[in-house]
Amino acid sequence: MAKLNTNSNAYIIIYSTVLVIIVAFLLAFVSSSLKDRQEANVALDKEKQILNALNLRDKADDEAHALYNKIVKYDEQLKLFVCTLDNGEVKYVFPLKGMGLWGGISGFIALNDDKNTVYGAYFNHESETAGLGAEIKDNREWQEKFIGKKVFDADGNVVLSVVKNVEKPEHQVDVVTGATLTSNGVTDMLQKGLAQYAAFLSAQ
């Protein structure tokens, strides 16, 4: 029997091909096996973000999921979340998307049933700088500065904003220190995002 030449080009090509096929199969199997869990984790993270906007933070996974299912309903027609708290108060949570300095930013803002007063806010980012732009997500104290702010001015314009020098505290929040461009992105996201709901927000 001829001895297998493990140094030949044919052997190396066949060996490499078989190895690639096996690795690809294993990766596909692992990815498929974890898909449901990954999707569940993404859904749970979104639920927690919405609860954060409702000032219901620091919940364990099971508690957060149960609470979300209890108080949050997604309105398919309006494309927003209608939330009834345990005390019977109704809040509206609006999903937001925009651009920061280095990538996408997103968030949720909750309004009271007057459709004008901010009840709570939560923001997220894809790739902002830690300690600077990333503070829109990491700085809970900064997010809480939105509570009580008014969305509209007397003429019905969306004026809720993040600014360097607050002159109208009823509508404005200080920028994140050292992250003016990311803060500008939050303003743009808020104003463009909420403007899409103008018909709903202006209806009494």
Side-chain angles (χ1 to χ4, degrees):
M1 180 181 293
K3 185 177 180 180
L4 183 63
N5 183 4
T6 58
N7 293 319
S8 69
N9 289 337
Y11 175 86
I12 293 172
I13 291 172
I14 292 173
Y15 179 84
S16 300
T17 300
V18 171
L19 186 62
V20 167
I21 291 173
I22 292 173
V23 171
F25 172 80
L26 290 174
L27 288 175
F29 175 77
V30 171
S31 176
S32 177
S33 300
L34 296 177
K35 184 178 180 181
D36 289 345
R37 181 178 296 178
Q38 291 171 340
E39 290 178 349
N41 287 339
V42 169
L44 178 61
D45 182 62
K46 180 179 178 180
E47 292 173 1
K48 283 188 169 183
Q49 290 186 38
I50 292 170
L51 292 177
N52 286 344
L54 292 166
N55 305 313
L56 297 169
R57 299 173 181 255
D58 306 321
K59 305 294 183 183
D61 290 353
D62 290 345
E63 182 184 6
H65 182 63
L67 182 60
Y68 176 90
N69 287 332
K70 178 182 177 183
I71 69 173
V72 180
K73 302 295 181 186
Y74 182 67
D75 191 308
E76 187 67 41
Q77 182 177 359
L78 295 173
K79 306 299 181 185
L80 57 85
F81 300 87
V82 181
C83 312
T84 305
L85 304 184
D86 286 341
N87 61 7
E89 293 182 1
V90 175
K91 312 296 177 185
Y92 301 103
V93 178
F94 301 83
L96 305 167
K97 287 190 178 296
M99 286 296 298
L101 176 59
W102 301 113
I105 58 177
S106 60
F108 296 93
I109 189 158
L111 301 185
N112 289 332
D113 60 2
D114 65 358
K115 302 179 183 178
N116 186 30
T117 307
V118 177
Y119 180 72
Y122 179 82
F123 302 106
N124 203 351
H125 67 90
E126 295 176 3
S127 54
E128 298 305 295
T129 306
L132 297 174
E135 289 293 285
I136 66 169
K137 173 185 177 182
D138 300 331
N139 192 329
R140 176 172 173 173
E141 182 179 352
W142 182 77
Q143 293 177 3
E144 290 176 344
K145 290 182 179 180
F146 285 84
I147 297 173
K149 302 298 181 183
K150 302 295 183 181
V151 172
F152 299 103
D153 63 12
D155 297 321
N157 301 307
V158 178
V159 292
L160 180 63
S161 57
V162 181
V163 299
K164 197 166 186 178
N165 296 304
V166 173
E167 297 178 350
K168 300 178 180 179
E170 184 179 15
H171 305 291
Q172 299 172 336
V173 171
D174 287 316
V175 298
V176 174
T177 303
T180 301
L181 293 179
T182 303
S183 298
N184 291 343
V186 173
T187 291
D188 190 59
M189 176 175 69
L190 286 166
Q191 295 188 353
K192 288 183 177 178
L194 290 173
Q196 297 178 26
Y197 297 94
F200 170 76
L201 292 170
S202 62
Q204 299 300 319

